[in-house]
Amino acid sequence: MKLSSISIIFFFATLQALSVLQVNSQSTDSCNSNLNLDLPFDTSLLNCLPVWSRHDFILRYVRNLSNVWNFVLSAPDTNSFVAMGFSTTGQMVGSSAVVGWVSADGSGTVKQYFLGGQRPNLVLADQGNLTIVENSTSITSRSSRVYLAFQLNTSQPLSRVLYSVGQIGVIPSAPAFALAEHRDKVSTLLNYRTGTSASDSQHSRLRKSHGILNMLSWGILMIIGAMAGRYFKQWDPMWFYSHAAIQSCAFLLGLAGIISGFVLEDRLNAEVDTHKALGILILVLGCLQVMAVFARPGKESKVRKYWNWYHHNGGRIVILIAIANVFYGIHLGEDNGTSWNAAYAVVISILFLLSIILEVKLWRQN
């Protein structure tokens, strides 16, 4: 009797384990699985790769015709939206995304959104820069997974690809189809030729180093060095040595920051032409300032006043462009760059107020 009870318990436990395994097997997808989906394009030749292991996102894609790309994104069905975005910088702001969800009645909806900013009213439905082939979008729920499919008409999709998943139980609704804040997101770099995808977080340390170096050098130390050269000449010759030392340190750190920017651009394949052009301009002007030091005429020279005018105004131009580019770089580099913007704005405001006080003092002395 005792053995029989144990056998019955073991039998039901085995059935339960098998049912769990069956559910798990049904809710998983892999690149070895066959897609039995009713899609307007052939799925037999799709390249396949896992793109977001945390949420078990699997992407399939292929270039169909000369300018048509087929995409199928597979993800667990959590009664929320799934999204795949394309970005020039790797950030959500400024990107266009294909977003899909399955309603409670089983009907699927796919829309393009343009992410114009971080506020909900700046996330615009039925807008974006993607040329989606007409009648090519669909989203299907099958075996506890959703399959978001679409076709893009483009010669080459952007390699900076974003994925996001919405809050559980929260999906957009008519008529506005407002998109609620995502539950999680990831930025990746997709190589369409080799079929490999890497998380953008791998380069976060390099991005932060680039930003901090340039902010500290061109955006802060350069200002402090200029203030030392203008407002502390009563302590001769210490003002000159302090000015030269601070500006030299700022130039070297800034050079390292710009070099790291070139490396970052190469690794991320980012399109940051304006930011890059401003950085190169700052570097060129900085080099001219350094070269001018070696060509500085003596105090008794007749051209000394022209040299002073060039050196002083050239430095001011470098500082103004550097401040603008630091703010622009923060905008490009961080989705949550508000805190960085606020912190740098506070530093600049303090230096500005201090320079006004010293300028008034200098004016009274003269």
Side-chain angles (χ1 to χ4, degrees), residues 1 25 28 40 58 91 97 101 132 216 218 229 232 251 300 316 332 354 356:
M1 183 68 179
S25 64
T28 59
I58 295 177
Q91 306 303 316
W101 61 89
I132 300 176
L216 179 63
W218 303 109
F232 302 114
F251 179 80
E300 305 302 326
R316 294 186 182 103
L332 292 176
L354 185 58
I356 291 178

Side-chain angles (χ1 to χ4, degrees), residues 275-287:
H275 183 59
K276 178 181 177 180
L278 289 174
I280 293 174
L281 177 61
I282 292 169
L283 179 61
V284 171
L285 293 176
C287 290

Side-chain angles (χ1 to χ4, degrees), residues 49-55 57-59 61 71 73 83-92 95 157-164 185-192 195-203 207 267-270 335:
L49 68 156
V51 290
W52 195 10
S53 59
R54 180 186 299 178
H55 292 282
F57 274 40
I58 295 177
L59 177 66
Y61 71 92
F71 292 92
L73 179 64
M84 179 177 176
F86 299 84
S87 171
T88 57
T89 64
Q91 306 303 316
M92 281 202 161
S95 67
L158 294 174
S159 59
R160 310 296 297 279
V161 182
L162 312 170
Y163 305 96
S164 67
K185 69 177 180 67
V186 68
S187 177
T188 66
L189 184 64
L190 176 60
N191 188 321
Y192 294 94
T196 57
S197 177
S199 173
D200 202 21
S201 61
Q202 297 177 5
H203 308 294
R207 184 192 296 117
R267 292 185 181 180
L268 298 181
N269 194 25
D335 276 339

Side-chain angles (χ1 to χ4, degrees), residues 25-26 28-39 42-46 48 58 60 72 74 142-143 145 147:
S25 64
Q26 290 177 346
T28 59
D29 184 21
S30 71
C31 290
N32 295 323
S33 304
N34 293 323
L35 287 181
N36 296 317
L37 303 175
D38 185 16
L39 298 177
D42 183 19
T43 61
S44 61
L45 300 177
L46 293 174
C48 181
I58 295 177
R60 295 173 172 88
V72 179
S74 165
R142 179 172 298 178
S143 301
R145 292 188 71 85
Y147 295 85

